[in-house]
Amino acid sequence: MKKDRRKSSRQLASDWNSSHEKSISARTVRRRLFNAGYKSYTTKREPYRKPSHCSARLKFAKQCSDWNFSNWKTVLFSDESHFEVFNRKNKSFVRRLPSESDKPFNLQPRVQGGGGSINVWGIMTAKGVAPLVFYDGRMNGLTYISVIEPVSFAFIEKISIEMLPVIMYKIMRHAINQFLV
């Protein structure tokens, strides 16, 4: 069972029965696993990250590790999210102990997509949050700029003009990265 935590009780019983003389039922497997502390949980979902994503995140963390509060006050945090309305049918179950919730076998990488969805983009700073922007479909760097530009410039004018260089650098860098990917 520890080799493949996603096997059903029927599959585990079948594996046991093919390699042992005494056969057991799927119900016996479930009972024995439950008595040992294993329960069936849905796998957690996590965004898929390429090795290049991981190294870029680590590089950023090292660059900003000695920043103080005044440095972080000048940063604009921007993020977009994709919400799937009808993605409820792809649940995957895994057997684990309660203490094993963050182990790799309990995670299910996923790529966002599917029908019935909405995309949202927003920004926030130490001085406040901007209105959410709703958009349809996928965006490259140029469409990303055209969608966020009206909201971001109005928000920048509202909060403070001194943040403009830092904010514009981050917006343009993100747009270029989106375009290149």
Side-chain angles (χ1 to χ4, degrees):
M1 196 260 327
K2 287 194 175 186
K3 291 179 184 174
D4 186 358
R5 301 284 185 122
R6 296 178 188 201
K7 283 190 175 183
S8 70
S9 55
R10 285 184 184 176
Q11 291 170 319
L12 291 170
S14 175
D15 290 351
W16 173 272
N17 294 337
S18 65
S19 61
H20 293 81
E21 289 181 22
K22 187 171 182 175
S23 65
I24 59 172
S25 68
R27 176 73 183 120
T28 302
V29 171
R30 285 191 298 274
R31 247 190 345 264
R32 298 283 187 217
L33 289 172
F34 184 79
N35 290 340
Y38 289 92
K39 296 179 182 173
S40 184
Y41 297 89
T42 58
T43 53
K44 291 182 178 180
R45 292 183 172 182
E46 66 176 353
Y48 175 72
R49 290 191 180 95
K50 296 178 186 176
S52 60
H53 296 153
C54 296
S55 61
R57 290 166 63 100
L58 181 61
K59 182 181 173 185
F60 174 77
K62 287 179 179 178
Q63 287 174 345
C64 301
S65 63
D66 61 342
W67 279 22
N68 58 28
F69 184 69
S70 62
N71 295 117
W72 286 109
K73 281 185 358 183
T74 64
V75 176
L76 174 134
F77 294 93
S78 166
D79 197 16
E80 61 272 345
S81 289
H82 175 84
F83 297 96
E84 295 177 9
V85 180
F86 300 112
N87 195 21
R88 307 247 193 283
K89 59 185 172 236
N90 295 333
K91 287 190 178 179
S92 171
F93 290 89
V94 62
R95 296 190 191 281
R96 65 171 173 82
L97 297 171
S99 61
E100 297 176 320
S101 66
D102 293 324
K103 299 286 184 186
F105 64 80
N106 190 48
L107 303 173
Q108 179 181 5
R110 70 183 288 260
V111 178
Q112 294 180 346
S117 62
I118 187 168
N119 299 301
V120 181
W121 176 85
I123 54 177
M124 69 180 201
T125 69
K127 294 188 176 186
V129 296
L132 290 176
V133 175
F134 298 91
Y135 61 92
D136 291 323
R138 300 180 69 85
M139 290 197 289
N140 63 22
L142 299 175
T143 55
Y144 179 81
I145 291 172
S146 69
V147 167
I148 68 169
E149 191 175 45
V151 173
S152 58
F153 282 125
F155 179 67
I156 291 165
E157 288 176 2
K158 177 182 169 190
I159 58 171
S160 171
I161 201 71
E162 73 227 20
M163 293 180 67
L164 187 60
V166 174
I167 291 169
M168 287 314 301
Y169 169 74
K170 293 198 176 297
I171 289 173
M172 296 306 291
R173 188 180 69 192
H174 181 75
I176 290 168
N177 287 341
Q178 289 284 330
F179 185 69
L180 295 176
V181 172

